[in-house]
Amino acid sequence: MDETAALKKTPLHALHLSLGARMVPFAGYDMPVQYPLGVMKEHLQTRTSAGLFDVSHMGQVIIRAKSGKFEDAALALESIVPVDILGLPEARQRYGFFTDENGGILDDLMITHIDDYLFVVVNAACKDADFAHLEKHLGDRCEIMPLEDRALVALQGPRAVSVLAELWADVAAMKFMDARHCRLHDVSCVVSRSGYSGEDGFEISIPGKYAEDIANRLLEHPDVQPIGLGARDSLRLEAGLCLYGNDIDTTTSPIEAGLEWAIQKARRNAGARAGGFPGASRILAELQDGTTRRRVGLKPEGKAPVRDHAKLYADDQGKDEIGEVTSGGFGPSVEGPVAMGYVPPSHAAVGTRIYAEVRGRYLPVTVSALPFITPTYKR
């Protein structure tokens, strides 16, 4: 069977082709990596105006308690995530992650409290395993309802709010991580003020059959351009955001990854509902005592990018290996190469000079604060 024919297609696939996108396999889908504008200009378009991303390959699922009570759904989900779900106000969203018994990260996800249920978005490559994980651990208490007929788009950038407000004026009043039911182009959608670019913006869940109409309506605006996976990756890297499978996976704990901010007080030691999630003993101990490595930002000297899997050394002779780059590339907004990786706490302080192996040479890199750009989220 032809590999391309075997790939899944999002509801916007035909639109991507009509816009001249270069398509590539990604997480089992045929996805646009770039459009005729090119990755560099798409990146800068998102930073200065507005870009529209198709993220329909990601998994969308509703979790509703069989009792009908939100509290029961929240407590059920808390049994597999180290996040305060019970305290999540209605119409608000929170970042979280599934952990395993060893304290590793199975996937990261966005969790939204809507009415009496939870609306969860998970990564495309993990979604089948995630749905099975939810069913296994929550199925006796909750209905797990994957939304196979939905599209998901992200409108990101400083002009995103003014563009979307032309379809729904109330969007301007939303704050970062707010979520609302709304009607766009007379279609019932769920909009959250969130995204993966470091810019202000929105993610919009749309019934699949209406996705192309709404996407076209947004693209008709002179401030909006379609943006592919290439710019999505450079945008999130500049914003210091993790990519599952690169920067986080089952070999990394949330504390090693610098994600302790996502574990609220209620789930920590002495909290109202401390522990009770997979890997709690390790994760709570690391919160208290620290870890043997930490995710850090890295700025290579010069213009040459340092790519994923490059080894990191304390010395310029490659004798003292201390870590590895997990994401790396060129940052168009930073106008230079940027990267992230893991190093011991002894080498994690901002300003520390270490070395990356690139084609047999040991190039100097400096540990940098994350993110590399100043996010523009509307707090």
Side-chain angles (χ1 to χ4, degrees):
M1 182 181 293
D2 177 63
E3 181 182 348
T4 303
L7 293 171
K8 297 177 185 177
K9 297 176 175 62
T10 75
L12 296 176
H13 187 267
L15 177 61
H16 300 316
L17 297 181
S18 72
L19 293 170
R22 181 161 71 85
M23 309 297 286
V24 297
F26 183 80
Y29 283 80
D30 196 28
M31 295 293 292
V33 69
Q34 68 178 76
Y35 297 87
L37 195 62
V39 172
M40 178 81 75
K41 289 182 179 178
E42 289 173 29
H43 177 114
L44 296 174
Q45 166 76 21
T46 307
R47 289 271 184 256
T48 58
S49 189
L52 186 68
F53 303 73
D54 180 11
V55 288
S56 306
H57 57 312
M58 299 184 74
Q60 304 178 64
V61 59
I62 285 174
I63 302 171
R64 179 180 275 118
K66 292 179 179 179
S67 68
K69 298 178 180 178
F70 168 77
E71 293 79 6
D72 292 340
L75 290 172
L77 187 56
E78 282 192 4
S79 70
I80 55 173
V81 300
V83 180
D84 178 6
I85 309 300
L86 187 62
L88 179 61
E90 188 171 350
R92 289 288 291 168
Q93 187 178 69
R94 192 162 273 171
Y95 174 78
F97 24 78
F98 296 130
T99 51
D100 65 19
E101 294 297 336
N102 297 315
I105 301 173
L106 292 169
D107 196 12
D108 61 340
L109 55 148
M110 299 301 294
I111 305 158
T112 306
H113 177 181
I114 298 179
D115 300 329
D116 62 349
Y117 63 88
L118 292 163
F119 172 59
V120 175
V121 178
V122 301
N123 283 302
C126 304
K127 66 181 178 181
D128 291 339
D130 288 345
F131 295 159
H133 186 67
L134 287 166
E135 188 63 48
K136 177 181 177 181
H137 293 282
L138 276 60
D140 59 334
R141 294 167 283 174
C142 299
E143 295 178 79
I144 309 300
M145 296 171 280
L147 303 177
E148 305 289 0
D149 60 344
R150 304 284 291 192
L152 189 67
V153 299
L155 183 68
Q156 301 282 289
R159 299 288 296 162
V161 63
S162 60
V163 170
L164 194 55
E166 293 187 13
L167 297 186
W168 184 51
D170 291 352
V171 75
M174 293 175 67
K175 297 286 196 291
F176 182 55
M177 299 295 253
D178 278 352
R180 300 281 189 276
H181 279 296
C182 71
R183 298 194 72 81
L184 300 180
H185 205 21
D186 206 31
V187 175
S188 179
C189 301
V190 175
V191 174
S192 63
R193 196 159 194 169
S194 58
Y196 194 52
S197 66
E199 297 296 329
D200 183 24
F202 304 88
E203 293 178 306
I204 310 166
S205 176
I206 311 167
K209 64 182 178 180
Y210 300 113
E212 189 167 327
D213 286 344
I214 291 176
N216 273 320
R217 185 74 178 266
L218 294 168
L219 289 169
E220 285 170 2
H221 198 289
D223 290 339
V224 181
Q225 291 289 337
I227 313 296
L229 292 173
R232 184 172 183 253
D233 192 53
S234 57
L235 288 159
R236 70 91 194 169
L237 177 54
E238 286 186 341
L241 300 173
C242 292
L243 175 63
Y244 191 83
N246 280 47
D247 309 294
I248 52 174
D249 57 27
T250 54
T251 70
T252 54
S253 77
I255 315 308
E256 290 177 325
L259 300 175
E260 57 266 31
W261 55 268
I263 303 175
Q264 290 76 29
K265 184 178 178 180
R267 307 306 308 279
R268 299 186 179 206
N269 287 322
R273 296 180 310 287
F277 51 86
S281 58
R282 175 189 176 185
I283 291 169
L284 295 179
E286 288 183 348
L287 270 171
Q288 180 174 309
D289 302 325
T291 63
T292 58
R293 61 176 186 155
R294 291 283 288 181
R295 178 174 64 96
V296 296
L298 300 166
K299 277 195 174 179
E301 292 184 11
K303 292 293 185 181
V306 174
R307 303 290 182 183
D308 315 355
H309 306 301
K311 300 297 183 184
L312 296 169
Y313 296 86
D315 65 295
D316 62 2
Q317 301 298 309
K319 294 179 180 178
D320 185 8
E321 184 179 330
I322 57 171
E324 184 175 310
V325 172
T326 53
S327 287
F330 187 80
S333 305
V334 178
E335 298 183 334
V338 289
M340 296 190 294
Y342 285 84
V343 298
S346 58
H347 291 76
V350 171
T352 303
R353 194 183 215 208
I354 58 178
Y355 298 85
E357 184 178 7
V358 179
R359 293 186 294 276
R361 300 170 59 210
Y362 300 96
L363 304 182
V365 300
T366 302
V367 174
S368 172
L370 291 172
F372 297 103
I373 50 95
T374 302
T376 61
Y377 311 130
K378 185 183 178 185
R379 301 288 185 180

